[in-house]
Amino acid sequence: MTERTVLVCGVGLMGHGIAQVMAMAGHDVRVFEPERARAEAGIKRIAGNLDRSVAKGRMTDAERLATLGRISIAGSVEDGARGVDLAVEAVFEDEAVKRDLFARLDAGAPESAVLASNTSSISIARLAEAVRAARRPMVVGMHFFSPVPVMPLIELIRNTDTSDETELTVRAVAAELGKQVIVSQDRPGFIVNRILMPFLAEAMRAYEQGLGTAEDIDTGAKVGLNHPMGPLELADFIGLDVCLSIMEVLFEGFGQAHFAPPAVLHDLVAAGHLGQKTGRGFYTYPRG
Ligand code: CAA
């Protein structure tokens, strides 16, 4: 296996999982967050996941230590980007923030480095506009699914300039992580969220119309369709703010009513109830 140096920008729900699986695959991983405390929190979360793996006998303590030893904190984007083979950005879904990050990565990373975005819906071509023309062939979408250590899929999104070599690099990294690749065109929501979000939105509309309780709607999908989680539970798990921003991108891109974010979603997000991460969404969750 090729040992790579990988920078992961943003170690929240998705980013910490991406850093974890990269380190587990033997890569040298740097993580960056604007606040060092957040980077430390991301690594603590990874350590907790690895502790569970040791407890379940999936990993030895020596492997856990070696995995953690491959992860370090970068003091700045530029420091983190120096000498990398691959940078994956997993910051929150804000196009301006992601574009700014891509411009900094472009300035700091070697000419040969691949710059990937874990965006769940934002156009890869628009992100690629933030880098120099010579770098655009190395810009690609590499969309992971949560929880990253468990979900074996990566959506690969090419912009019009993405090179075949970049696609091959992403495919090779995915194989090293044990993930399957699907290729999507650079359209709003790509493949999975284009299918998933109308399903979640319809469940939310059914809930706001009082068609059934949250539990009954979720049980319908779990028991009647064999889904591991019901749609409301899944929305809480993904993050209601994330669902809202993806639905907005889809609705803006296609203009069809079934992509429109439901009122209940707007209300919950406006009230700061973002799902599991804030302790309340369609359900309430015990702290910690
Ligand atoms: N991190 C690491 N591992 C985790 C985990 C986490 N956050 N949560 C669960 N796991 C592991 C557990 O350790 C367990 O491993 P073992 O079987 O080896 O012991 C395994 O996953 C199953 O976990 P549990 O038994 O605790 O619980 P479960 O059987 O209910 O499964 C689940 C949990 C895997 C999350 C399952 O409910 C599921 O698949 N849910 C749907 C997830 C999904 O749809 N994800 C995609 C969301 S969309 C997205 O991410 C993209 C986007 O752009 C919005």
Side-chain angles (χ1 to χ4, degrees), residues 22 56 78 100 108 151 155 169 183 214 280:
M22 292 285 183
K56 286 183 175 172
E78 291 71 18
D100 177 61
M151 304 299 285
E155 252 178 331
T169 301
V183 180
R280 185 165 162 195

Side-chain angles (χ1 to χ4, degrees), residues 132-155:
R132 290 165 302 132
R135 172 81 67 183
R136 288 187 192 140
M138 275 85 93
V139 174
V140 67
M142 195 175 179
H143 183 212
F144 291 79
F145 294 83
S146 178
V148 176
V150 180
M151 304 299 285
L153 185 72
I154 291 176
E155 252 178 331

Side-chain angles (χ1 to χ4, degrees), residues 95-247:
E95 191 175 319
V97 173
K98 286 182 190 280
R99 284 173 65 113
D100 177 61
L101 186 56
F102 263 82
R104 291 172 68 189
L105 288 170
D106 183 28
E111 293 298 314
S112 58
V114 168
L115 306 186
S117 173
N118 178 57
T119 181
S120 40
S121 56
I122 296 173
S123 158
I124 301 300
R126 283 213 296 274
L127 297 181
E129 283 166 11
V131 303
R132 290 165 302 132
R135 172 81 67 183
R136 288 187 192 140
M138 275 85 93
V139 174
V140 67
M142 195 175 179
H143 183 212
F144 291 79
F145 294 83
S146 178
V148 176
V150 180
M151 304 299 285
L153 185 72
I154 291 176
E155 252 178 331
L156 187 159
I157 304 104
R158 292 180 65 139
N159 79 78
T160 40
D161 295 325
T162 307
S163 67
D164 292 345
E165 205 184 337
T166 297
E167 175 170 343
L168 285 177
T169 301
V170 171
R171 285 185 178 278
V173 172
E176 288 153 14
L177 304 180
K179 310 266 186 220
Q180 188 174 334
V181 170
I182 56 172
V183 180
S184 170
Q185 282 190 21
D186 190 15
R187 304 292 312 278
F190 314 129
I191 291 174
V192 176
N193 280 323
R194 169 109 172 236
I195 301 168
L196 174 64
M197 289 299 152
F199 170 57
L200 301 191
E202 200 52 38
M204 292 174 196
R205 280 188 277 271
Y207 172 77
E208 76 193 3
Q209 289 163 14
L211 183 67
T213 62
E215 288 81 0
D216 280 342
I217 291 168
D218 278 346
T219 301
K222 282 192 284 193
V223 180
L225 300 172
N226 219 7
H227 289 197
M229 282 178 171
L232 303 175
E233 192 187 1
L234 181 56
D236 274 357
F237 175 71
I238 293 168
L240 300 186
D241 52 338
V242 176
C243 291
L244 178 59
S245 81
I246 299 172
M247 286 180 200

Side-chain angles (χ1 to χ4, degrees), residues 69-104:
R70 284 192 283 273
I71 306 175
S72 61
I73 297 177
S76 66
V77 174
E78 291 71 18
D79 271 356
R82 202 165 295 131
V84 289
D85 301 299
L86 168 68
V88 185
E89 82 60 28
V91 302
F92 54 94
E93 292 290 285
D94 181 313
E95 191 175 319
V97 173
K98 286 182 190 280
R99 284 173 65 113
D100 177 61
L101 186 56
F102 263 82
R104 291 172 68 189

